[in-house]
Amino acid sequence: MRKKYNTPHRSHVVKTRLSEDEYADFTARLAPYGISQSEFLRQAIRRATIRPIVHVSAVNDELLSAVGKLTAEYGRIGGNLNQIARYLNEYGAPYNALSDEVRAAIADLAALKYEVLKKVGDAVGNTQTFRL
């Protein structure tokens, strides 16, 4: 006859192997609590916090630096285009065609900036690893 326990039914088993040093650390952490290894692991799992760790190589550092400079340059160009558009709007009729071209250039610049940042985000996103 099987022994009955007054605990929730647990049907999944999780196993792992530890080195001598890891096992010594595990038992040292377990000792003060006076609970079983299984209960210690269950509580550790429920309270675990997963923090992403991003590994960035030297190539990516250079890439991020270049993108930062490029983004700043886009900002300066956009500022200049906005000043030109404001001037054209202020003086009206003779410059309407030029004003439309400047607005189109501003829109193209914004789209290009978005495209570059998206590609960089995709490239950097591939270097992330996670640790418990």
Side-chain angles (χ1 to χ4, degrees):
M1 178 176 240
R2 291 186 95 176
K3 189 175 180 180
K4 291 190 178 185
Y5 295 95
N6 190 16
T7 59
H9 179 68
R10 294 182 174 105
S11 59
H12 299 282
V13 176
V14 177
K15 296 180 182 182
T16 189
R17 294 182 186 274
L18 301 174
S19 68
E20 289 297 324
D21 291 339
E22 291 170 333
Y23 186 73
D25 184 43
F26 175 66
T27 54
R29 290 174 186 245
L30 176 64
Y33 297 105
I35 57 176
S36 69
Q37 292 178 352
S38 297
E39 186 58 30
F40 181 83
L41 290 174
R42 280 187 211 102
Q43 288 185 17
I45 289 169
R46 277 189 242 121
R47 295 186 181 107
T49 302
I50 300 172
R51 296 184 187 108
I53 297 176
V54 179
H55 297 280
V56 181
S57 68
V59 173
N60 284 338
D61 283 342
E62 292 172 10
L63 175 67
L64 292 175
S65 175
V67 168
K69 290 177 184 174
L70 187 59
T71 302
E73 188 64 29
Y74 285 159
R76 286 190 285 278
I77 293 170
N80 290 342
L81 288 172
N82 281 331
Q83 288 178 359
I84 293 167
R86 189 176 308 119
Y87 178 82
L88 293 175
N89 286 334
E90 187 176 317
Y91 290 101
Y95 301 107
N96 283 340
L98 187 57
S99 179
D100 291 339
E101 289 179 36
V102 170
R103 283 192 188 97
I106 291 171
D108 291 345
L109 181 65
L112 180 62
K113 182 178 177 181
Y114 174 77
E115 183 94 13
V116 168
L117 292 176
K118 184 174 182 296
K119 288 194 185 285
V120 169
D122 291 344
V124 171
N126 292 335
T127 63
Q128 290 184 351
T129 59
F130 297 94
R131 172 181 76 180
L132 289 175

